[in-house]
Amino acid sequence: MPGTKRICFIVVARIGAWVGSTFSMCRLLGTYADLSTSSSSIHANNSLRYLSNSTFHKECSLAFCPNLHRNRLRVGTCKWQDKPASAKVHGYHGITLSPIAPTSACLHCIQERQSLFKPPVTVYDKYQSLSHRVHTYTPLSKSQASDQQLFHTTKKDMDSLVQHLHDPNSISYISQEAAAAIDELLMGPLGFSVDQLMELAGLSVASAIFEAYPVQANNRVLVICGPGNNGGDGLVAARHLHHFGYSLSVCYPKRTDKPLYHGLVTQLESLSIPFLLEDELPSILSSFDVVVDAIFGFSFRGQPRPPFDALIQKLVGLPNVVSVDIPSGWHVEEGDINGIGLHPDMLVSLTAPKLCARKFKGLHHFLGGRFVPPLIAEKFGLKLPPYPGTSQCVWIGKLPSIDVGSLRENYVGAVLLEEHLNADPFSQFKEWFEDAVAMGLPEPNAMTLATANKEGHPSARMVLLKGYDEHGFVWYTNYGSRKALELASNPWASIVFFWERLHRQARITGCVEKVSSEESDEYFHSRPRESQIGALVSAQSTVIAGRHVLDQAYEDLQSRYADKSIIIPRPDHWGGFRLQPEAFEFWQGRESRLHDRLTYTKEMAVDKSNWVIHRLAP
């Protein structure tokens, strides 16, 4: 990936399995960034060190899990509750792992395994405030934060992601012969094994289902597996879906008598996932929220034979059917030519969509299998969309029409009671803000700033919080902007933070004043030099002739300040504001829209240093 840092893996192992695990990690990370290996030196800025003489956390495969969130790597310094110095992430300069007690709580594991993949009740019952009870998070230093991120989505990738949604011809659809040749090449000269490809394919399928059918509303899943590799993909997907929090059942009528498949079955049985007989299905099919069709793949030819012919007919017309790679009963290139195949709501194409996928008319079409090397893409002329961030699947095909009225999220599990609150609203905000940072949310300091002019006409926009303490909440802007002019005539404003994955909002209302020139100077000169020049360039909220005006002014100022020893002066029209709170509201999403709303207010009859807490009806 252009512009990303190289990663060096240095392994000190007591057992040989660690070496294999590290090579597997290298292969996976190779789809995200350029990798290099070195045994001659350890670079302080790019080494991942394993310390073998330690007891590792029983909740995760590494002593510390870097919190990957979509298109960026969120890193900082993690201090564990049991051993404060046990695991540290040094900026974007690699990871050093040290021994930690097996009883320590791994925030990443708790968040990913429970909050994302299961209803978050487990998290919030056990940890009312994650950052307070599990660990503290120290943000990166300015120098570390300015380093290039390891994981990112480039502008080119974003353009490609948008293009394929509007132009189906921007993606390659392959024939049965090409699909077989690609598999042969992957499992031949390129060194993949069938179980590796099956694992990656099954993970892709499970990830796509998680995207399209959230676990809270679609908990019961049935996976029907055929006798070949497609069935193996289904068995792997079932295991991952179980760990994502779904309630799984599997129907595997014609089991393949090979060690690989025996192992996959054993793994599911060890998780107490029930295996159903095909005769049991007719009476219980309607009780499942999602049914996964992993019966036949791209190598299937001819007519379905018993018992799968009857099974396929039972699934026809059933809602929320997900087909793996090929809808069962379809010709891999021509589609449902005999009129006996499934017409699923969702299709997960693997490696590349097959020709029959052009005839797919369902709601959701994903591509999975993030393992196609450039050699194969070039050899077969494949045009495939980029995978966003760390995702194992990507939406392809035309987006369905959206019923805005049906878009809703059911907030489950979290509770906010009076006895959970701090007496001081600033301390309560600090606790929630640190939770949002610890959970790896993107831009947890993003907030809506609402202002109004002297006539009372409102306006709102997103800005970034740049500091807070007992005196108020600070952001920086152009003093000639609309918000600044409105604040000059009406100093009252509200700010709102929304931390979606925590189902939390914090609303703060108060009077706004400018910060001191000294504070503005200090923050201005802490910004990247390019951002300082940007503040000089833009006369915010004024009408300009076009983008070229900004670009030309920026280039001119870059030339003027090319000498880095020259200090760029803060312009008089740029500086900070501070909102001094008069009221706080902390909002926690709850089931059935019966949310928790607790407010802090100052009352004239009460000492100004005290806050009164009230509960509001949702």
Side-chain angles (χ1 to χ4, degrees):
M1 187 181 296
T4 56
K5 292 184 181 295
R6 291 184 171 272
I7 303 173
C8 172
F9 286 86
I10 296 163
V11 184
V12 182
R14 288 184 297 178
I15 51 177
W18 277 56
V19 178
S21 298
T22 305
F23 282 124
S24 295
M25 186 180 294
C26 289
R27 174 175 51 77
L28 287 169
L29 284 176
T31 64
Y32 306 107
D34 297 327
L35 297 181
S36 64
T37 57
S38 170
S39 58
S40 60
S41 63
I42 297 178
H43 300 289
N45 68 334
N46 65 359
S47 62
L48 173 58
R49 307 175 188 176
Y50 287 84
L51 303 184
S52 61
N53 57 343
S54 60
T55 302
F56 284 90
H57 195 312
K58 64 182 179 180
E59 294 289 356
C60 60
S61 58
L62 301 179
F64 176 77
C65 304
N67 194 344
L68 301 179
H69 180 73
R70 294 293 183 186
N71 64 343
R72 67 193 69 194
L73 180 62
R74 310 286 302 192
V75 292
T77 300
C78 182
K79 298 180 181 178
W80 297 92
Q81 188 178 33
D82 292 352
K83 294 202 173 185
S86 62
K88 294 182 180 180
V89 179
H90 301 288
Y92 292 107
H93 296 175
I95 304 165
T96 299
L97 306 181
S98 302
I100 61 175
T103 56
S104 296
C106 172
L107 175 70
H108 178 73
C109 287
I110 293 169
Q111 176 243 320
E112 295 293 345
R113 180 168 55 82
Q114 295 178 342
S115 181
L116 279 182
F117 303 146
K118 294 182 181 178
V121 60
T122 312
V123 176
Y124 291 98
D125 283 352
K126 192 171 181 180
Y127 302 104
Q128 295 167 5
S129 169
L130 294 178
S131 69
H132 178 67
R133 290 169 172 77
V134 182
H135 83 303
T136 59
Y137 180 96
T138 304
L140 299 176
S141 69
K142 294 184 180 77
S143 61
Q144 291 169 332
S146 64
D147 283 355
Q148 188 164 2
Q149 295 173 349
L150 289 176
F151 295 89
H152 65 285
T153 302
T154 65
K155 181 180 183 300
K156 181 180 178 182
D157 289 344
M158 289 301 298
D159 290 343
S160 181
L161 281 168
V162 173
Q163 178 190 9
H164 81 264
L165 296 176
H166 301 283
D167 180 13
N169 294 321
S170 65
I171 296 179
S172 299
Y173 289 75
I174 61 175
S175 66
Q176 187 177 43
E177 182 181 359
I182 289 172
D183 269 10
E184 185 177 345
L185 189 56
L186 284 169
M187 290 184 284
L190 296 181
F192 285 86
S193 62
V194 65
D195 54 327
Q196 284 178 321
L197 294 177
M198 199 171 284
E199 184 68 29
L200 292 168
L203 176 58
S204 298
V205 171
S207 300
I209 291 172
F210 185 81
E211 292 278 346
Y213 298 105
V215 63
Q216 290 90 345
N218 305 276
N219 185 254
R220 297 202 64 197
V221 178
L222 170 66
V223 181
I224 304 177
C225 300
N229 289 348
N230 204 254
D233 296 342
L235 294 172
V236 172
R239 170 163 42 81
H240 286 293
L241 288 168
H242 169 84
H243 290 302
F244 289 0
Y246 293 87
S247 175
L248 263 293
S249 297
V250 174
C251 179
Y252 192 17
K254 201 171 181 180
R255 302 191 179 189
T256 303
D257 190 19
K258 292 182 180 179
L260 169 60
Y261 295 86
H262 290 315
L264 294 176
V265 169
T266 300
Q267 292 163 17
L268 297 182
E269 290 175 337
S270 72
L271 298 172
S272 300
I273 294 175
F275 280 77
L276 307 178
L277 299 176
E278 61 268 29
D279 294 339
E280 299 178 71
L281 295 187
S283 60
I284 60 173
L285 269 178
S286 61
S287 67
F288 292 100
D289 301 305
V290 177
V291 177
V292 180
D293 157 36
I295 300 175
F296 298 127
F298 70 80
S299 60
F300 173 77
R301 297 175 184 271
Q303 298 283 336
R305 290 178 293 183
F308 299 108
D309 53 350
L311 266 179
I312 291 171
Q313 292 309 303
K314 290 183 177 72
L315 300 182
V316 172
L318 203 66
N320 296 347
V321 172
V322 179
S323 287
V324 176
D325 207 20
I326 304 291
S328 289
W330 283 32
H331 187 282
V332 69
E333 295 174 0
E334 299 177 27
D336 187 18
I337 54 178
N338 297 315
I340 58 172
L342 289 177
H343 289 269
D345 293 300
M346 176 169 162
L347 175 63
V348 185
S349 294
L350 296 173
T351 308
K354 312 309 179 286
L355 285 173
C356 68
R358 290 187 181 276
K359 301 181 185 296
F360 172 69
K361 303 298 183 186
L363 293 175
H364 313 290
H365 190 186
F366 285 85
L367 175 64
R370 191 174 184 167
F371 49 75
V372 179
L375 184 149
I376 285 183
E378 293 169 8
K379 180 179 177 63
F380 292 90
L382 298 182
K383 296 183 293 182
L384 301 175
Y387 288 78
T390 57
S391 295
Q392 295 300 312
C393 59
V394 59
W395 188 296
I396 61 176
K398 188 176 181 181
L399 288 169
S401 59
I402 298 171
D403 177 7
V404 177
S406 67
L407 296 177
R408 59 178 54 87
E409 181 76 17
N410 188 27
Y411 304 134
V412 296
V415 175
L416 180 63
L417 301 177
E418 284 80 350
E419 53 265 33
H420 295 164
L421 289 180
N422 283 285
D424 173 42
F426 293 97
S427 298
Q428 182 64 37
F429 177 85
K430 181 176 185 291
E431 190 171 301
W432 273 27
F433 184 76
E434 289 179 351
D435 286 350
V437 173
M439 290 288 278
L441 303 187
E443 294 194 319
N445 59 328
M447 61 185 189
T448 300
L449 168 64
T451 58
N453 61 19
K454 61 183 179 181
E455 289 81 22
H457 300 161
S459 63
R461 75 289 292 158
M462 300 300 297
V463 298
L464 295 176
L465 178 72
K466 289 301 178 182
Y468 68 92
D469 56 23
E470 68 277 10
H471 301 296
F473 295 79
V474 176
W475 67 94
Y476 293 86
T477 188
N478 188 303
Y479 286 149
S481 65
R482 176 176 177 176
K483 55 184 170 292
L485 296 177
E486 289 182 348
L487 288 169
S489 62
N490 178 2
W492 290 91
S494 285
I495 55 177
V496 180
F497 297 85
F498 178 51
W499 299 300
E500 184 269 335
R501 280 167 61 192
L502 289 168
H503 300 159
R504 287 176 175 175
Q505 294 183 59
R507 181 165 57 88
I508 304 159
T509 302
C511 193
V512 178
E513 65 178 10
K514 289 183 179 180
V515 304
S516 67
S517 297
E518 291 75 17
E519 282 185 77
S520 292
D521 285 340
E522 181 180 1
Y523 175 71
F524 181 81
H525 291 113
S526 74
R527 305 177 85 206
R529 197 170 178 85
E530 295 78 6
S531 298
Q532 294 179 38
I533 293 175
L536 290 170
V537 164
S538 177
Q540 194 176 116
S541 301
T542 61
V543 177
I544 59 175
R547 175 74 197 187
H548 67 279
V549 174
L550 295 175
D551 294 338
Q552 185 59 55
Y554 185 81
E555 289 179 15
D556 293 343
L557 285 173
Q558 271 195 319
S559 298
R560 182 189 303 179
Y561 295 109
D563 184 350
K564 298 295 178 65
S565 65
I566 300 176
I567 296 176
I568 300 173
R570 177 182 65 87
D572 293 337
H573 63 256
W574 192 95
F577 284 102
R578 176 179 286 105
L579 184 144
Q580 300 168 307
E582 293 289 331
F584 289 78
E585 178 180 334
F586 293 91
W587 179 99
Q588 177 68 66
R590 293 291 301 275
E591 301 92 332
S592 305
R593 297 297 185 263
L594 296 177
H595 312 303
D596 288 322
R597 297 177 61 192
L598 294 172
T599 65
Y600 295 76
T601 55
K602 288 182 177 180
E603 296 184 357
M604 296 302 294
V606 179
D607 188 323
K608 285 283 187 178
S609 63
N610 293 328
W611 294 85
V612 178
I613 298 175
H614 295 288
R615 175 176 288 271
L616 301 183

